[in-house]
Structure formats: structure tokens, C-alpha cells
Amino acid sequence: MATTPGSDTERSLFGEILDWMLAPLLFVWPLSIAFTHYFANNVANFPYDQALREHVAAIARQVKLVGGKPVLTLPASARALLRADETDSVYFHVVTQDGKLLAGDKELPMPSELPGDASLSGEIYLRDAEYNGQDLRFAYTWLADPTLPRERWIVVEVAETTEKRTQLANKIVASVILPQFVIIPLAVMLVWFGLSRGLRPLTRLRQTIEAREPADLSPIATRRVPEELEPLVEAFNAMLERMKKNVEAQQRFVADAAHQMRTPLTGLKTQAQFAIRETDPEALRHALRQIAVGVDRAGRLVNQLLTLARTEGGEPAQQRHEPLDLAALIREVVEDWVMVAIDKGIDLGYEAEGDAMIMGNAFLLREMAKNLIDNALRYTPGGGHVTCRILNNQVSVVLEVEDDGIGISEEQAELVFERFYRVDDAMTEGSGLGLAIVQEIAMQHGSRASLRPNPQGRGAVARVVFAAWQAPPPPPPEPDDFSELYRQSPPIGT
Ligand SMILES: Nc1ncnc2c1ncn2[C@@H]1O[C@H](COP(=O)(O)OP(=O)(O)O)[C@@H](O)[C@H]1O
Ligand SMILES: [Mg+2]
């Protein structure tokens, strides 16, 4: 059967159910045949056993004890009746317990130990035995005479071959099994049909999903969906909802980014037009320098946009978190910024005691520190102080960037983490993306960044709290079996 990938997955559920329904049948069927066979034998035995009992009873009635000796008066017609069976051979004999044949067929074997209670005269018992390769069914009874010794008690036995019984049993089995050859394929067909009907909602659901526009993220209607599929559709809808939010955020971001890019580009264009008209070489050089500064600024904005997009997108390399020493990492970043701080006449300091292990991504954490230090230096006038600090109490590791610059109000402190939000866009320069990036990275480390007015009075303090990372305890040392040996051996060379 040629199958497309779609119909392949569809078939497997169908096949699975079918297999689980029909495979047990393969076990149940032989079992049912065995049962049928057993019960058919029982049923077939019943009427013929009845006849056999009557024969035994009839013969037993003909045995008379005359003066302590048994005398069998069986009319010839009765003997003929016994022989009259068309299919089976019927035998009988009257014997004493110790094996003396009184009457009947010589070819019948003498009974050895017979089950049953011999003293219950008239009670008829049944048994199976094999004789001369023939299966025989026996009915027998005792004629007990308490005045005689036990071995002289008389046994009357009638036996017949089991041909009739086998034939009847086979007929019963056939009449039960044969209809099944029609019924079982019919049942399989009905199950097949019912299954394909029952699984139709799945096909319908697939068609609904396939028929969707690529951009359609609206939820799938659960109205006609069967109960069992509803959780699946709901989970799918929840995923669509998340995707929709994501796409919307992405679209908003792209729109914001485009808007933000327009401002520096417009500035560049104005400056370029200005430069074109300029004839004085000195003024032209100045205009070109302005353009270079503008390009730098635009470049920085693009870089930040990319950083944010990458951080949010969670590129695989940036999702890898590993144990690292935050104190060492921050010291490196601070070292990179010393020259910038000196240029601005700001005292950039670093405080930490020992190492501070956390679980994190070095690339992202460097990006975070860069943005916080950049802000502190940017919003602190010359002559000010910026201190990067690591506090470690073994439970949590705190990164603090403290400055004594222009500071921040309580109300603004929340808003500044939003993208493109800037407190004083006219007076200072920036993209408004720095803290958004910081927050995104903090969140990826299971934390939240905050910016608060500096409790020391002037300036602001940026804080990010991380969970401290503890090295797992080393495995217990293997017991050293040889240590005892080493201790006892005398030191070499003394
Ligand atoms: N250390 C700080 N001191 C005072 N204000 C700050 C500080 N850091 C950030 N801000 C305020 O938060 C705003 C947003 O910061 P940020 O997201 O880094 O964007 P940008 O620095 O590009 O403006 C800044 O415009 C500034 O007003
Ligand atoms: Mg900034």
C-alpha cells in the first residue's frame, strides 16, 4: 500500500487498535475450540452411557443364584439385541471377582481392580479402557452376596467401542466451529468499518488544521471535537495562543526598532545634506566627524537590537549554562571599562571577597554587566564614583552596580526596564534598550534585575540576585584494601 507520511501516522493508530483487538482473538479461538471439544465429548457420552447402563441392569436382572451358584438365563433374542448395534461392537461378560467367566464374551479382558463400592449391589459404574487398540466404554455392576467370600462375588460388565460417541462429538464440534468461519471474518469487517468510522474525527481535525492559512493563529473550535481529542486540541490552542503572543511581541519589537532606527538615520541624512553644501574644508571635516559619530550611534543601536533579539530567541550557545565565578567575570568587564571611566573622570571601583560561583552563561552575564556599567558611567557626571560589587553569602550571589550620579525616582525605576523607555530622551543619549537586555538576561538566570535610588543619598544602585552554586559533594573515597598492607611492609632502604 502506498502511503504518504500523513496517512502513515493515521494508519498506525488504526492498526494499533486493530492489532490489540484481533491479536487476543488468535489466543481465544483455539481455547474456545478446546473447550467445545471437551463439552461435546461429555454431551455425546451421555445418551450412550444411559443405554449401556440399561444393558448392564438388564443382564444383572437375569443372573439368578441357585443354591449359591449363579445361573444366567439370557434369552437369545436379548443376546441378538446386544449384537444389533450398527456402528459399534458391544460385548458383555459375567465373571466372578477372582476371574472366572460365567457367561458372555471370552475376548473381553478380565477386570482387575475396579473402582467403586462392590457391596452396593445394583449400583452401576462407568469406566474407559483400551483393549486390543480399541477404545472401550464399560458399564459394570456387582452382584454382592454377603454369605460368600469377596472373590466369588459376581461382576456384570457391558462394553462397547466408542465410534458412535466420537462421531456425535465431532458433529457437535463442527456445528459450533463452522459458523465461526463466517462470523469471525464478518466481525473483523465490522470492527474495521467501526474503527474507520470512529477515527473519522481525527481525519477531520487533520483536514481542519491543514486547511488553515499559514498566519492563522486563532484557536481551533472544540465544538465538534470528540471528548478524547479535546485535551489535545486545547493544548494545541494554548500553544497557538503563546505563539500568537510571541508573534505580536515580535511585530511590536520590529515596529519599535524600525521607528528607533529612523531617528539616527534622519539625523545622518540631514548632516550629509549639510556636508554636501559645505565648501569650507574645515566645516566639511566637522560635518563628516558628526556623521561618523551618528554612524557609531546607529551601529550601537543595531548591536543592542541584535543582542536583545538573540537573548530572547535563546540561541543554543546562549542557553548553555555552566558553573562560573561571577566575581572573576565582573572584574574582567570592569577592567575593560577603566579607560572609559578615566576619560570621563569617574572613579570606577570593584569590590568582592573571594569567588562567587553561580550557574550561568558567561556571554550573557558579560553583556549584562556591560550594560549596567555603561549606564552607571553614562548617568554619572565627571568626578563621580561607580562601584561594582559582588556579595556572596553562599546561598545567593548579588551583583551590585552603585553610582552617585543623577539617580532615579521610585516611579521611573520600574519603567526604565521597558524597551526604548528613556527618562530624559532630550538631554541624554541612548537607545533605551540597555536595561531591557539586562532584564531579559536576568530572567534567563531565574532572577530579576532592579534599579533603585542609592540609599547612600545620591545616585542609583542596580542589583541582580543569583542563586549561589554549590559543587556537588565528592563521592566517598573507595575503601583502600591495600592500605593495611602498605602500613605493615617495612620502609625500603632502612
Ligand atoms: N545608573 C543609572 N542612573 C540613573 N538613571 C539610569 C541609570 N541606569 C539607567 N537609567 C535610566 O534608565 C533609562 C533606560 O536605561 P537603558 O535601558 O540602559 O537605556 P539607555 O541607557 O540607552 O537610555 C535611561 O535612559 C536612564 O534614564
Ligand atoms: Mg543604557
Side-chain angles (χ1 to χ4, degrees):
M1 199 203 307
T3 50
T4 62
S7 69
D8 201 29
T9 42
E10 191 189 338
R11 209 204 84 79
S12 83
L13 181 59
F14 186 86
E16 190 92 337
I17 298 176
L18 214 60
D19 284 353
W20 280 104
M21 285 175 73
L22 298 186
L25 220 59
L26 287 182
F27 293 97
V28 173
W29 206 34
L31 209 67
S32 92
I33 293 178
F35 274 125
T36 311
H37 203 267
Y38 173 77
F39 287 115
N41 275 327
N42 277 357
V43 170
N45 269 338
F46 185 75
Y48 297 122
D49 279 350
Q50 213 53 32
L52 217 51
R53 282 166 188 274
E54 276 159 22
H55 291 332
V56 170
I59 294 172
R61 272 196 301 276
Q62 302 305 318
V63 179
K64 299 269 156 38
L65 287 172
V66 179
K69 285 199 167 180
V71 177
L72 178 62
T73 53
L74 201 56
S77 60
R79 281 175 187 264
L81 212 63
L82 272 180
R83 304 274 181 241
D85 198 294
E86 276 177 4
T87 359
D88 281 307
S89 316
V90 183
Y91 310 95
F92 84 97
H93 61 190
V94 181
V95 291
T96 57
Q97 187 90 346
D98 57 1
K100 208 156 74 190
L101 178 71
L102 303 177
D105 303 304
K106 284 191 238 358
E107 56 266 52
L108 218 51
M110 285 296 150
S112 44
E113 271 304 299
L114 288 178
D117 187 353
S119 56
L120 281 179
S121 209
E123 183 73 26
I124 298 171
Y125 300 95
L126 294 159
R127 69 186 174 102
D128 292 302
E130 215 194 85
Y131 179 65
N132 267 352
Q134 272 185 315
D135 281 329
L136 290 177
R137 181 76 166 162
F138 280 85
Y140 58 95
T141 188
W142 278 276
L143 296 174
D145 186 349
T147 60
L148 291 176
R150 207 185 162 91
E151 34 327 326
R152 296 200 36 207
W153 287 0
I154 293 167
V155 183
V156 178
E157 280 197 304
V158 179
E160 73 177 353
T161 52
T162 55
E163 196 51 37
K164 288 193 302 277
R165 298 159 190 263
T166 313
Q167 278 175 11
L168 180 55
N170 286 347
K171 267 191 195 134
I172 297 175
V173 171
S175 65
V176 173
I177 300 294
L178 283 180
Q180 291 187 359
F181 281 99
V182 180
I183 288 173
I184 289 179
L186 204 69
V188 170
M189 262 162 59
L190 284 177
V191 165
W192 191 288
F193 175 72
L195 257 183
S196 42
R197 280 295 294 235
L199 289 179
R200 203 177 274 175
L202 259 181
T203 318
R204 214 163 37 220
L205 187 63
R206 194 199 66 207
Q207 284 162 350
T208 316
I209 294 175
E210 276 175 355
R212 285 186 149 227
E213 295 292 323
D216 185 3
L217 294 179
S218 64
I220 298 169
T222 48
R223 203 165 23 90
R224 284 178 63 202
V225 168
E227 209 178 315
E228 289 80 5
L229 284 181
E230 220 172 278
L232 188 75
V233 172
E234 271 162 12
F236 191 71
N237 281 344
M239 192 196 73
L240 282 178
E241 181 64 29
R242 285 196 299 274
M243 257 170 81
K244 199 167 145 188
K245 284 216 179 86
N246 246 334
V247 168
E248 279 167 3
Q250 211 79 336
Q251 280 167 348
R252 224 174 17 245
F253 180 66
V254 170
D256 283 351
H259 179 75
Q260 292 297 316
M261 278 304 289
R262 206 170 293 140
T263 319
L265 288 180
T266 313
L268 276 176
K269 190 176 179 197
T270 318
Q271 282 159 355
Q273 281 168 339
F274 185 71
I276 289 169
R277 268 182 265 115
E278 199 55 69
T279 46
D280 174 29
E282 196 46 47
L284 183 61
R285 201 165 290 132
H286 176 75
L288 287 176
R289 262 198 299 272
Q290 289 294 103
I291 289 176
V293 170
V295 169
D296 269 353
R297 216 174 285 152
R300 187 167 162 268
L301 175 61
V302 169
N303 274 338
Q304 279 190 310
L305 283 171
L306 279 177
T307 307
L308 194 55
R310 286 213 190 106
T311 314
E312 277 194 322
E315 281 187 8
Q318 300 176 359
Q319 280 174 334
R320 226 185 356 261
H321 285 209
E322 52 202 1
L324 52 85
D325 179 9
L326 189 64
L329 184 140
I330 297 297
R331 192 176 55 231
E332 279 168 30
V333 182
V334 169
E335 278 163 7
D336 290 344
W337 285 80
V338 168
M339 289 316 292
V340 181
I342 290 173
D343 271 355
K344 285 197 73 178
I346 294 173
D347 174 19
L348 177 59
Y350 167 77
E351 289 174 8
E353 271 175 29
D355 57 2
M357 298 302 291
I358 64 163
M359 200 64 179
N361 179 288
F363 173 81
L364 294 179
L365 290 170
R366 240 177 247 128
E367 199 65 34
M368 167 190 269
K370 217 166 77 185
N371 277 294
L372 290 178
I373 296 173
D374 177 58
N375 276 354
L377 294 177
R378 195 179 289 263
Y379 303 112
T380 301
H385 302 79
V386 172
T387 309
C388 296
R389 199 174 289 125
I390 295 286
L391 305 167
N392 181 7
N393 67 359
Q394 308 305 324
V395 177
S396 47
V397 170
V398 183
L399 164 64
E400 268 187 10
V401 180
E402 182 186 341
D403 65 59
D404 53 3
I406 60 171
I408 188 112
S409 69
E410 289 280 0
E411 305 88 70
Q412 303 281 3
E414 289 295 323
L415 297 172
V416 287
F417 285 97
E418 272 170 32
R419 284 168 188 178
F420 304 115
Y421 185 87
R422 311 201 60 242
V423 175
D424 190 355
D425 206 18
M427 294 296 290
T428 58
E429 215 179 70
S431 61
L433 284 175
L435 289 180
I437 293 172
V438 167
Q439 193 64 282
E440 190 62 43
I441 295 173
M443 270 164 19
Q444 290 202 9
H445 286 78
S447 170
R448 277 203 86 80
S450 67
L451 184 70
R452 293 263 166 275
N454 191 343
Q456 308 297 328
R458 285 184 52 192
V461 183
R463 266 178 142 242
V464 189
V465 183
F466 300 91
W469 180 82
Q470 235 87 34
E478 293 276 314
D480 187 355
D481 289 335
F482 301 108
S483 54
E484 210 52 36
L485 239 158
Y486 288 143
R487 211 167 297 149
Q488 283 167 6
S489 58
I492 300 163
T494 50

